[in-house]
């Protein structure tokens, strides 16, 4: 996209949505991750949609391949070791943290909902520690009566289910 990171992020997000709509979840996850990889402060409003999209895709695929995310754009992004066994999970965590940092810095109104989506994305990759950190932060920011509380509870129940804490699921959804 002509060297413009904001334009590239928008294009990657659009590609992720297009591929998801055509039942290509791996390609969609790759595009959503690329959007988070190149997004800048000028395009902070893209972050919530990209994180939600990535969370939805990872919920279906339950995997992320770091090498696929970087392939073809190596010259435009910092070096990342993609051969490690948990590189996909590590890269996803780094991309989520980076996107959330942009939202925090901007004081973005969708930070809390995006934290819940980031927790779901992390939980889908069995990164339960990171998921819990995101959920705890979301709960700390949430206000009683806030319309995002059901999203936090649902994300918490999803992560609890994936981590084998079945009794917590019932408590969270009751």
């Amino acid at each position: 996209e002509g060297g413009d990171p904001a334009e590239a992020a928008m294009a990657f997000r659009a590609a992720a949505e297009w591929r998801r709509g055509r039942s290509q979840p791996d390609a969609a996850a790759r595009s959503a991750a690329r959007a988070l990889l190149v997004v800048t402060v000028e395009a902070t409003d893209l972050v919530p949609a990209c994180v939600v999209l990535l969370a939805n895709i990872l919920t279906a695929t339950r995997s992320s391949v770091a090498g696929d995310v970087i392939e073809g754009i190596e010259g435009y992004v910092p070096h990342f070791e993609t051969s490690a066994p948990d590189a996909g999970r590590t890269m996803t965590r780094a991309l989520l943290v980076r996107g959330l940092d942009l939202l925090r810095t901007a004081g973005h109104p969708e930070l809390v909902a995006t934290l819940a989506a980031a927790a779901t994305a992390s939980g889908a990759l069995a990164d339960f520690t990171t998921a819990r950190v995101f959920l705890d932060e979301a709960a700390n920011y949430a206000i009683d009566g806030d319309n995002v509380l059901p999203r936090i509870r649902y994300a918490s129940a999803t992560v609890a289910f994936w981590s084998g804490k079945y009794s917590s699921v019932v408590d969270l959804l009751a």
Side-chain angles (χ1 to χ4, degrees), residues 100-168:
L100 292 168
D101 285 345
L102 288 171
L103 295 180
R104 285 184 200 99
T105 300
H108 202 280
E110 293 183 49
L111 173 62
V112 178
T114 307
L115 281 162
T120 301
S122 296
L125 297 177
D127 187 356
F128 302 122
T129 302
T130 301
R132 178 74 1 230
V133 169
F134 291 154
L135 288 169
D136 288 346
E137 184 178 355
N140 286 337
Y141 284 129
I143 301 167
D144 283 340
D146 198 347
N147 64 351
V148 77
L149 286 174
R151 290 186 205 175
I152 295 170
R153 282 191 202 103
Y154 185 77
S156 296
T158 301
V159 171
F161 179 79
W162 286 333
S163 64
K165 298 179 180 174
Y166 305 115
S167 62
S168 297

Short mmCIF file of all heavy atoms in Angstrom, two decimals, residues 100-168:
data_model
loop_
_atom_site.label_atom_id
_atom_site.label_comp_id
_atom_site.label_asym_id
_atom_site.label_seq_id
_atom_site.Cartn_x
_atom_site.Cartn_y
_atom_site.Cartn_z
N LEU A 100 -2.99 -3.34 22.11
CA LEU A 100 -3.59 -2.83 23.35
C LEU A 100 -2.84 -1.61 23.87
O LEU A 100 -3.46 -0.68 24.41
CB LEU A 100 -3.64 -3.94 24.40
CG LEU A 100 -4.60 -5.08 24.07
CD1 LEU A 100 -4.38 -6.26 25.02
CD2 LEU A 100 -6.05 -4.61 24.12
N ASP A 101 -1.52 -1.60 23.73
CA ASP A 101 -0.73 -0.43 24.14
C ASP A 101 -1.14 0.81 23.34
O ASP A 101 -1.23 1.92 23.90
CB ASP A 101 0.76 -0.69 23.98
CG ASP A 101 1.33 -1.59 25.06
OD1 ASP A 101 0.65 -1.80 26.09
OD2 ASP A 101 2.47 -2.09 24.88
N LEU A 102 -1.39 0.63 22.04
CA LEU A 102 -1.87 1.76 21.23
C LEU A 102 -3.20 2.28 21.75
O LEU A 102 -3.42 3.49 21.83
CB LEU A 102 -2.00 1.34 19.77
CG LEU A 102 -0.71 1.13 18.98
CD1 LEU A 102 -1.02 0.50 17.62
CD2 LEU A 102 0.04 2.44 18.80
N LEU A 103 -4.10 1.36 22.12
CA LEU A 103 -5.40 1.77 22.65
C LEU A 103 -5.27 2.47 24.00
O LEU A 103 -5.96 3.46 24.25
CB LEU A 103 -6.33 0.56 22.78
CG LEU A 103 -6.74 -0.13 21.48
CD1 LEU A 103 -7.66 -1.32 21.77
CD2 LEU A 103 -7.41 0.84 20.53
N ARG A 104 -4.40 1.94 24.86
CA ARG A 104 -4.20 2.57 26.18
C ARG A 104 -3.67 3.99 26.01
O ARG A 104 -4.15 4.92 26.66
CB ARG A 104 -3.23 1.74 27.01
CG ARG A 104 -3.80 0.47 27.57
CD ARG A 104 -2.78 -0.22 28.47
NE ARG A 104 -3.10 -1.61 28.65
CZ ARG A 104 -2.55 -2.63 27.99
NH1 ARG A 104 -1.58 -2.41 27.11
NH2 ARG A 104 -2.93 -3.86 28.21
N THR A 105 -2.67 4.13 25.16
CA THR A 105 -2.05 5.44 24.94
C THR A 105 -3.07 6.45 24.40
O THR A 105 -3.07 7.61 24.80
CB THR A 105 -0.87 5.31 23.94
OG1 THR A 105 0.09 4.41 24.50
CG2 THR A 105 -0.21 6.64 23.69
N ALA A 106 -3.95 5.98 23.53
CA ALA A 106 -4.96 6.86 22.94
C ALA A 106 -6.16 7.07 23.86
O ALA A 106 -7.01 7.90 23.56
CB ALA A 106 -5.43 6.29 21.60
N GLY A 107 -6.24 6.31 24.97
CA GLY A 107 -7.42 6.39 25.82
C GLY A 107 -8.67 5.98 25.06
O GLY A 107 -9.74 6.56 25.23
N HIS A 108 -8.52 4.96 24.24
CA HIS A 108 -9.59 4.53 23.33
C HIS A 108 -10.79 3.99 24.11
O HIS A 108 -10.63 3.22 25.04
CB HIS A 108 -9.05 3.46 22.37
CG HIS A 108 -9.84 3.34 21.14
ND1 HIS A 108 -11.03 2.64 21.08
CD2 HIS A 108 -9.63 3.83 19.89
CE1 HIS A 108 -11.51 2.70 19.85
NE2 HIS A 108 -10.68 3.42 19.11
N PRO A 109 -12.01 4.37 23.70
CA PRO A 109 -13.20 3.93 24.43
C PRO A 109 -13.49 2.42 24.31
O PRO A 109 -14.25 1.89 25.10
CB PRO A 109 -14.33 4.74 23.79
CG PRO A 109 -13.81 5.16 22.45
CD PRO A 109 -12.33 5.28 22.61
N GLU A 110 -12.88 1.74 23.33
CA GLU A 110 -13.14 0.31 23.15
C GLU A 110 -12.06 -0.56 23.79
O GLU A 110 -12.00 -1.77 23.53
CB GLU A 110 -13.27 -0.02 21.67
CG GLU A 110 -14.51 0.59 21.04
CD GLU A 110 -14.67 0.19 19.60
OE1 GLU A 110 -14.57 -1.02 19.31
OE2 GLU A 110 -14.88 1.09 18.78
N LEU A 111 -11.23 0.02 24.65
CA LEU A 111 -10.13 -0.74 25.27
C LEU A 111 -10.65 -1.94 26.04
O LEU A 111 -10.13 -3.05 25.89
CB LEU A 111 -9.30 0.16 26.19
CG LEU A 111 -8.24 -0.56 27.02
CD1 LEU A 111 -7.20 -1.24 26.12
CD2 LEU A 111 -7.57 0.40 28.00
N VAL A 112 -11.67 -1.77 26.86
CA VAL A 112 -12.13 -2.86 27.72
C VAL A 112 -12.67 -4.03 26.90
O VAL A 112 -12.33 -5.19 27.14
CB VAL A 112 -13.19 -2.35 28.74
CG1 VAL A 112 -13.69 -3.50 29.60
CG2 VAL A 112 -12.59 -1.26 29.62
N ALA A 113 -13.49 -3.74 25.91
CA ALA A 113 -14.02 -4.81 25.05
C ALA A 113 -12.90 -5.48 24.27
O ALA A 113 -12.91 -6.70 24.07
CB ALA A 113 -15.06 -4.24 24.09
N THR A 114 -11.90 -4.70 23.86
CA THR A 114 -10.78 -5.27 23.12
C THR A 114 -9.92 -6.14 24.03
O THR A 114 -9.39 -7.17 23.57
CB THR A 114 -9.94 -4.14 22.48
OG1 THR A 114 -10.82 -3.30 21.71
CG2 THR A 114 -8.87 -4.70 21.57
N LEU A 115 -9.80 -5.79 25.29
CA LEU A 115 -9.08 -6.64 26.24
C LEU A 115 -9.78 -8.00 26.36
O LEU A 115 -9.11 -9.04 26.40
CB LEU A 115 -9.00 -5.98 27.61
CG LEU A 115 -7.93 -4.90 27.77
CD1 LEU A 115 -8.24 -4.03 28.99
CD2 LEU A 115 -6.56 -5.54 27.90
N ALA A 116 -11.11 -8.00 26.40
CA ALA A 116 -11.85 -9.27 26.47
C ALA A 116 -11.61 -10.10 25.22
O ALA A 116 -11.40 -11.32 25.29
CB ALA A 116 -13.33 -9.00 26.67
N ALA A 117 -11.60 -9.47 24.05
CA ALA A 117 -11.34 -10.18 22.80
C ALA A 117 -9.90 -10.70 22.77
O ALA A 117 -9.65 -11.82 22.31
CB ALA A 117 -11.61 -9.28 21.60
N ALA A 118 -8.96 -9.91 23.26
CA ALA A 118 -7.56 -10.34 23.30
C ALA A 118 -7.41 -11.55 24.22
O ALA A 118 -6.62 -12.46 23.93
CB ALA A 118 -6.67 -9.19 23.77
N ALA A 119 -8.16 -11.57 25.30
CA ALA A 119 -8.13 -12.73 26.20
C ALA A 119 -8.64 -13.97 25.48
O ALA A 119 -8.07 -15.06 25.63
CB ALA A 119 -8.97 -12.45 27.45
N THR A 120 -9.68 -13.82 24.69
CA THR A 120 -10.20 -14.95 23.93
C THR A 120 -9.17 -15.44 22.92
O THR A 120 -8.95 -16.65 22.78
CB THR A 120 -11.51 -14.57 23.22
OG1 THR A 120 -12.46 -14.15 24.21
CG2 THR A 120 -12.08 -15.73 22.44
N ALA A 121 -8.51 -14.52 22.24
CA ALA A 121 -7.47 -14.90 21.28
C ALA A 121 -6.34 -15.65 21.97
O ALA A 121 -5.87 -16.68 21.47
CB ALA A 121 -6.94 -13.66 20.56
N SER A 122 -5.90 -15.15 23.11
CA SER A 122 -4.82 -15.81 23.85
C SER A 122 -5.25 -17.18 24.35
O SER A 122 -4.50 -18.15 24.26
CB SER A 122 -4.38 -14.94 25.03
OG SER A 122 -3.83 -13.74 24.57
N GLY A 123 -6.47 -17.25 24.88
CA GLY A 123 -6.98 -18.53 25.37
C GLY A 123 -7.11 -19.55 24.26
O GLY A 123 -6.86 -20.74 24.47
N ALA A 124 -7.47 -19.11 23.06
CA ALA A 124 -7.61 -20.03 21.93
C ALA A 124 -6.28 -20.70 21.60
O ALA A 124 -6.25 -21.81 21.10
CB ALA A 124 -8.13 -19.29 20.71
N LEU A 125 -5.18 -20.03 21.92
CA LEU A 125 -3.84 -20.59 21.68
C LEU A 125 -3.27 -21.23 22.94
O LEU A 125 -2.07 -21.50 23.01
CB LEU A 125 -2.91 -19.50 21.17
CG LEU A 125 -3.30 -18.88 19.83
CD1 LEU A 125 -2.34 -17.76 19.45
CD2 LEU A 125 -3.36 -19.94 18.75
N ALA A 126 -4.11 -21.45 23.94
CA ALA A 126 -3.73 -22.06 25.22
C ALA A 126 -2.71 -21.23 25.99
O ALA A 126 -1.93 -21.76 26.78
CB ALA A 126 -3.22 -23.50 25.02
N ASP A 127 -2.74 -19.92 25.79
CA ASP A 127 -1.90 -19.00 26.56
C ASP A 127 -2.78 -18.43 27.67
O ASP A 127 -3.18 -17.27 27.66
CB ASP A 127 -1.37 -17.90 25.64
CG ASP A 127 -0.36 -17.00 26.33
OD1 ASP A 127 -0.11 -17.18 27.54
OD2 ASP A 127 0.19 -16.10 25.65
N PHE A 128 -3.07 -19.29 28.64
CA PHE A 128 -4.04 -18.96 29.67
C PHE A 128 -3.54 -17.89 30.64
O PHE A 128 -4.34 -17.11 31.15
CB PHE A 128 -4.47 -20.22 30.42
CG PHE A 128 -5.04 -21.26 29.51
CD1 PHE A 128 -4.48 -22.52 29.43
CD2 PHE A 128 -6.12 -20.98 28.69
CE1 PHE A 128 -5.00 -23.49 28.58
CE2 PHE A 128 -6.65 -21.93 27.82
CZ PHE A 128 -6.08 -23.19 27.77
N THR A 129 -2.26 -17.82 30.86
CA THR A 129 -1.71 -16.79 31.76
C THR A 129 -1.95 -15.41 31.16
O THR A 129 -2.43 -14.50 31.85
CB THR A 129 -0.21 -17.03 32.00
OG1 THR A 129 -0.04 -18.33 32.55
CG2 THR A 129 0.37 -15.98 32.92
N THR A 130 -1.63 -15.25 29.90
CA THR A 130 -1.85 -13.96 29.24
C THR A 130 -3.34 -13.65 29.16
O THR A 130 -3.75 -12.50 29.40
CB THR A 130 -1.24 -13.97 27.82
OG1 THR A 130 0.16 -14.23 27.94
CG2 THR A 130 -1.45 -12.65 27.12
N ALA A 131 -4.15 -14.64 28.88
CA ALA A 131 -5.60 -14.44 28.82
C ALA A 131 -6.11 -13.91 30.16
O ALA A 131 -6.91 -12.97 30.21
CB ALA A 131 -6.30 -15.73 28.45
N ARG A 132 -5.64 -14.50 31.25
CA ARG A 132 -6.08 -14.08 32.58
C ARG A 132 -5.64 -12.64 32.87
O ARG A 132 -6.40 -11.85 33.44
CB ARG A 132 -5.51 -15.05 33.63
CG ARG A 132 -5.83 -14.73 35.03
CD ARG A 132 -7.21 -14.96 35.62
NE ARG A 132 -8.30 -15.50 34.92
CZ ARG A 132 -9.54 -14.95 34.88
NH1 ARG A 132 -9.81 -13.84 35.48
NH2 ARG A 132 -10.51 -15.52 34.26
N VAL A 133 -4.43 -12.28 32.45
CA VAL A 133 -3.95 -10.90 32.64
C VAL A 133 -4.86 -9.91 31.91
O VAL A 133 -5.26 -8.89 32.47
CB VAL A 133 -2.48 -10.76 32.17
CG1 VAL A 133 -2.05 -9.30 32.10
CG2 VAL A 133 -1.55 -11.54 33.09
N PHE A 134 -5.21 -10.23 30.66
CA PHE A 134 -6.10 -9.36 29.89
C PHE A 134 -7.48 -9.27 30.55
O PHE A 134 -8.07 -8.19 30.63
CB PHE A 134 -6.24 -9.85 28.46
CG PHE A 134 -5.00 -9.73 27.61
CD1 PHE A 134 -4.81 -10.58 26.53
CD2 PHE A 134 -4.03 -8.77 27.86
CE1 PHE A 134 -3.69 -10.48 25.72
CE2 PHE A 134 -2.90 -8.65 27.06
CZ PHE A 134 -2.73 -9.51 25.99
N LEU A 135 -8.00 -10.39 31.02
CA LEU A 135 -9.32 -10.39 31.66
C LEU A 135 -9.31 -9.61 32.97
O LEU A 135 -10.26 -8.88 33.26
CB LEU A 135 -9.79 -11.83 31.90
CG LEU A 135 -10.20 -12.59 30.65
CD1 LEU A 135 -10.38 -14.07 30.97
CD2 LEU A 135 -11.47 -12.00 30.06
N ASP A 136 -8.24 -9.76 33.75
CA ASP A 136 -8.13 -9.00 35.00
C ASP A 136 -8.10 -7.50 34.72
O ASP A 136 -8.75 -6.71 35.42
CB ASP A 136 -6.89 -9.43 35.79
CG ASP A 136 -7.02 -10.80 36.40
OD1 ASP A 136 -8.15 -11.34 36.45
OD2 ASP A 136 -5.98 -11.37 36.81
N GLU A 137 -7.35 -7.10 33.70
CA GLU A 137 -7.28 -5.68 33.36
C GLU A 137 -8.64 -5.18 32.88
O GLU A 137 -9.09 -4.09 33.27
CB GLU A 137 -6.23 -5.43 32.28
CG GLU A 137 -6.05 -3.96 31.96
CD GLU A 137 -4.98 -3.67 30.93
OE1 GLU A 137 -4.27 -4.60 30.50
OE2 GLU A 137 -4.87 -2.50 30.54
N ALA A 138 -9.32 -5.98 32.07
CA ALA A 138 -10.65 -5.58 31.60
C ALA A 138 -11.60 -5.42 32.77
O ALA A 138 -12.37 -4.44 32.83
CB ALA A 138 -11.19 -6.62 30.61
N ALA A 139 -11.56 -6.35 33.71
CA ALA A 139 -12.43 -6.28 34.89
C ALA A 139 -12.11 -5.05 35.74
O ALA A 139 -13.02 -4.43 36.30
CB ALA A 139 -12.31 -7.55 35.71
N ASN A 140 -10.84 -4.69 35.82
CA ASN A 140 -10.45 -3.50 36.59
C ASN A 140 -10.98 -2.22 35.96
O ASN A 140 -11.32 -1.27 36.66
CB ASN A 140 -8.94 -3.43 36.74
CG ASN A 140 -8.40 -4.43 37.72
OD1 ASN A 140 -9.12 -4.90 38.60
ND2 ASN A 140 -7.14 -4.79 37.57
N TYR A 141 -11.03 -2.16 34.65
CA TYR A 141 -11.51 -0.96 33.95
C TYR A 141 -13.02 -0.91 33.87
O TYR A 141 -13.60 0.17 33.76
CB TYR A 141 -10.97 -0.90 32.52
CG TYR A 141 -9.53 -0.49 32.40
CD1 TYR A 141 -8.64 -1.25 31.65
CD2 TYR A 141 -9.04 0.67 33.00
CE1 TYR A 141 -7.32 -0.87 31.51
CE2 TYR A 141 -7.72 1.05 32.87
CZ TYR A 141 -6.86 0.28 32.11
OH TYR A 141 -5.56 0.65 31.98
N ALA A 142 -13.68 -2.05 33.89
CA ALA A 142 -15.12 -2.10 33.70
C ALA A 142 -15.84 -1.46 34.88
O ALA A 142 -15.38 -1.52 36.03
CB ALA A 142 -15.58 -3.53 33.52
N ILE A 143 -16.97 -0.89 34.59
CA ILE A 143 -17.79 -0.23 35.60
C ILE A 143 -19.09 -1.02 35.71
O ILE A 143 -19.64 -1.46 34.70
CB ILE A 143 -18.09 1.23 35.18
CG1 ILE A 143 -16.76 2.00 34.99
CG2 ILE A 143 -18.98 1.92 36.19
CD1 ILE A 143 -16.95 3.32 34.29
N ASP A 144 -19.61 -1.17 36.94
CA ASP A 144 -20.89 -1.87 37.11
C ASP A 144 -21.94 -1.23 36.21
O ASP A 144 -22.03 0.00 36.12
CB ASP A 144 -21.36 -1.79 38.57
CG ASP A 144 -20.60 -2.75 39.46
OD1 ASP A 144 -20.02 -3.72 38.93
OD2 ASP A 144 -20.58 -2.54 40.69
N GLY A 145 -22.69 -2.08 35.55
CA GLY A 145 -23.71 -1.59 34.63
C GLY A 145 -23.17 -1.32 33.24
O GLY A 145 -23.93 -0.99 32.34
N ASP A 146 -21.87 -1.45 33.07
CA ASP A 146 -21.24 -1.23 31.77
C ASP A 146 -21.70 -2.32 30.80
O ASP A 146 -21.79 -3.49 31.16
CB ASP A 146 -19.72 -1.28 31.94
CG ASP A 146 -18.97 -0.66 30.78
OD1 ASP A 146 -19.60 -0.42 29.74
OD2 ASP A 146 -17.76 -0.44 30.93
N ASN A 147 -21.98 -1.96 29.56
CA ASN A 147 -22.47 -2.93 28.60
C ASN A 147 -21.40 -3.93 28.15
O ASN A 147 -21.70 -4.89 27.45
CB ASN A 147 -23.08 -2.23 27.38
CG ASN A 147 -22.06 -1.42 26.61
OD1 ASN A 147 -20.92 -1.24 27.04
ND2 ASN A 147 -22.48 -0.90 25.48
N VAL A 148 -20.16 -3.73 28.56
CA VAL A 148 -19.08 -4.65 28.17
C VAL A 148 -18.93 -5.80 29.18
O VAL A 148 -18.26 -6.78 28.89
CB VAL A 148 -17.76 -3.87 27.97
CG1 VAL A 148 -17.13 -3.51 29.30
CG2 VAL A 148 -16.80 -4.64 27.12
N LEU A 149 -19.56 -5.70 30.33
CA LEU A 149 -19.45 -6.76 31.34
C LEU A 149 -19.85 -8.14 30.83
O LEU A 149 -19.16 -9.12 31.12
CB LEU A 149 -20.23 -6.39 32.60
CG LEU A 149 -19.58 -5.30 33.47
CD1 LEU A 149 -20.50 -4.90 34.61
CD2 LEU A 149 -18.25 -5.77 34.00
N PRO A 150 -20.93 -8.26 30.05
CA PRO A 150 -21.25 -9.60 29.52
C PRO A 150 -20.15 -10.16 28.62
O PRO A 150 -19.89 -11.35 28.61
CB PRO A 150 -22.55 -9.37 28.73
CG PRO A 150 -23.16 -8.18 29.37
CD PRO A 150 -22.00 -7.32 29.80
N ARG A 151 -19.49 -9.28 27.86
CA ARG A 151 -18.38 -9.74 27.01
C ARG A 151 -17.22 -10.26 27.86
O ARG A 151 -16.59 -11.25 27.51
CB ARG A 151 -17.86 -8.60 26.13
CG ARG A 151 -18.80 -8.19 25.06
CD ARG A 151 -18.13 -7.18 24.16
NE ARG A 151 -19.13 -6.36 23.51
CZ ARG A 151 -18.85 -5.33 22.76
NH1 ARG A 151 -17.60 -4.98 22.55
NH2 ARG A 151 -19.80 -4.65 22.19
N ILE A 152 -16.95 -9.57 28.96
CA ILE A 152 -15.86 -10.00 29.85
C ILE A 152 -16.22 -11.35 30.47
O ILE A 152 -15.39 -12.25 30.53
CB ILE A 152 -15.59 -8.94 30.94
CG1 ILE A 152 -15.08 -7.65 30.30
CG2 ILE A 152 -14.59 -9.47 31.96
CD1 ILE A 152 -15.01 -6.47 31.26
N ARG A 153 -17.47 -11.49 30.92
CA ARG A 153 -17.90 -12.77 31.51
C ARG A 153 -17.84 -13.90 30.50
O ARG A 153 -17.40 -15.01 30.80
CB ARG A 153 -19.32 -12.64 32.06
CG ARG A 153 -19.37 -11.93 33.38
CD ARG A 153 -20.75 -12.06 34.02
NE ARG A 153 -20.92 -10.98 34.97
CZ ARG A 153 -21.65 -9.89 34.75
NH1 ARG A 153 -22.33 -9.76 33.64
NH2 ARG A 153 -21.73 -8.95 35.65
N TYR A 154 -18.29 -13.63 29.29
CA TYR A 154 -18.27 -14.67 28.25
C TYR A 154 -16.83 -15.05 27.90
O TYR A 154 -16.51 -16.23 27.76
CB TYR A 154 -19.02 -14.20 27.00
CG TYR A 154 -19.12 -15.29 25.97
CD1 TYR A 154 -20.05 -16.31 26.12
CD2 TYR A 154 -18.29 -15.31 24.85
CE1 TYR A 154 -20.15 -17.34 25.19
CE2 TYR A 154 -18.38 -16.33 23.91
CZ TYR A 154 -19.31 -17.33 24.08
OH TYR A 154 -19.39 -18.34 23.17
N ALA A 155 -15.96 -14.06 27.76
CA ALA A 155 -14.54 -14.35 27.48
C ALA A 155 -13.93 -15.14 28.64
O ALA A 155 -13.18 -16.10 28.42
CB ALA A 155 -13.77 -13.06 27.24
N SER A 156 -14.28 -14.77 29.86
CA SER A 156 -13.77 -15.49 31.04
C SER A 156 -14.26 -16.93 31.04
O SER A 156 -13.49 -17.86 31.33
CB SER A 156 -14.23 -14.81 32.33
OG SER A 156 -13.69 -13.52 32.43
N ALA A 157 -15.53 -17.14 30.70
CA ALA A 157 -16.08 -18.50 30.65
C ALA A 157 -15.42 -19.32 29.54
O ALA A 157 -15.13 -20.50 29.73
CB ALA A 157 -17.59 -18.44 30.45
N THR A 158 -15.19 -18.70 28.41
CA THR A 158 -14.55 -19.39 27.29
C THR A 158 -13.15 -19.84 27.67
O THR A 158 -12.77 -21.00 27.44
CB THR A 158 -14.51 -18.47 26.05
OG1 THR A 158 -15.85 -18.10 25.71
CG2 THR A 158 -13.86 -19.16 24.87
N VAL A 159 -12.38 -18.93 28.25
CA VAL A 159 -11.01 -19.26 28.67
C VAL A 159 -11.04 -20.33 29.76
O VAL A 159 -10.23 -21.26 29.75
CB VAL A 159 -10.25 -17.99 29.11
CG1 VAL A 159 -8.92 -18.34 29.75
CG2 VAL A 159 -10.04 -17.05 27.92
N ALA A 160 -11.96 -20.22 30.70
CA ALA A 160 -12.08 -21.23 31.75
C ALA A 160 -12.40 -22.60 31.16
O ALA A 160 -11.82 -23.62 31.57
CB ALA A 160 -13.16 -20.82 32.76
N PHE A 161 -13.28 -22.64 30.20
CA PHE A 161 -13.62 -23.91 29.54
C PHE A 161 -12.41 -24.51 28.86
O PHE A 161 -12.10 -25.69 29.02
CB PHE A 161 -14.76 -23.69 28.54
CG PHE A 161 -15.15 -24.95 27.82
CD1 PHE A 161 -15.95 -25.89 28.43
CD2 PHE A 161 -14.71 -25.18 26.53
CE1 PHE A 161 -16.31 -27.06 27.77
CE2 PHE A 161 -15.06 -26.34 25.86
CZ PHE A 161 -15.86 -27.29 26.48
N TRP A 162 -11.70 -23.69 28.07
CA TRP A 162 -10.52 -24.19 27.37
C TRP A 162 -9.43 -24.67 28.32
O TRP A 162 -8.67 -25.56 28.00
CB TRP A 162 -9.95 -23.13 26.45
CG TRP A 162 -10.76 -22.90 25.20
CD1 TRP A 162 -11.57 -23.79 24.58
CD2 TRP A 162 -10.82 -21.71 24.44
NE1 TRP A 162 -12.13 -23.23 23.46
CE2 TRP A 162 -11.69 -21.95 23.35
CE3 TRP A 162 -10.23 -20.45 24.56
CZ2 TRP A 162 -11.96 -20.98 22.39
CZ3 TRP A 162 -10.51 -19.50 23.61
CH2 TRP A 162 -11.36 -19.76 22.53
N SER A 163 -9.36 -24.06 29.50
CA SER A 163 -8.32 -24.44 30.45
C SER A 163 -8.78 -25.56 31.39
O SER A 163 -8.05 -25.96 32.30
CB SER A 163 -7.86 -23.22 31.26
OG SER A 163 -8.90 -22.70 32.04
N GLY A 164 -10.00 -26.08 31.18
CA GLY A 164 -10.48 -27.22 31.96
C GLY A 164 -11.09 -26.87 33.29
O GLY A 164 -11.32 -27.75 34.12
N LYS A 165 -11.42 -25.61 33.52
CA LYS A 165 -12.03 -25.18 34.78
C LYS A 165 -13.55 -25.08 34.59
O LYS A 165 -14.13 -24.01 34.58
CB LYS A 165 -11.43 -23.85 35.22
CG LYS A 165 -9.95 -23.97 35.48
CD LYS A 165 -9.33 -22.66 35.89
CE LYS A 165 -7.84 -22.87 36.13
NZ LYS A 165 -7.15 -21.65 36.38
N TYR A 166 -14.16 -26.25 34.46
CA TYR A 166 -15.56 -26.33 34.07
C TYR A 166 -16.52 -25.76 35.10
O TYR A 166 -17.54 -25.17 34.73
CB TYR A 166 -15.92 -27.78 33.72
CG TYR A 166 -15.01 -28.34 32.67
CD1 TYR A 166 -14.16 -29.40 32.95
CD2 TYR A 166 -14.96 -27.79 31.40
CE1 TYR A 166 -13.31 -29.91 31.99
CE2 TYR A 166 -14.11 -28.29 30.43
CZ TYR A 166 -13.29 -29.35 30.73
OH TYR A 166 -12.44 -29.83 29.78
N SER A 167 -16.23 -25.88 36.36
CA SER A 167 -17.14 -25.33 37.37
C SER A 167 -17.15 -23.81 37.31
O SER A 167 -18.18 -23.19 37.58
CB SER A 167 -16.76 -25.81 38.76
OG SER A 167 -15.47 -25.36 39.12
N SER A 168 -16.05 -23.21 36.94
CA SER A 168 -16.01 -21.76 36.78
C SER A 168 -16.88 -21.29 35.64
O SER A 168 -17.46 -20.20 35.69
CB SER A 168 -14.56 -21.28 36.52
OG SER A 168 -13.74 -21.56 37.62
#
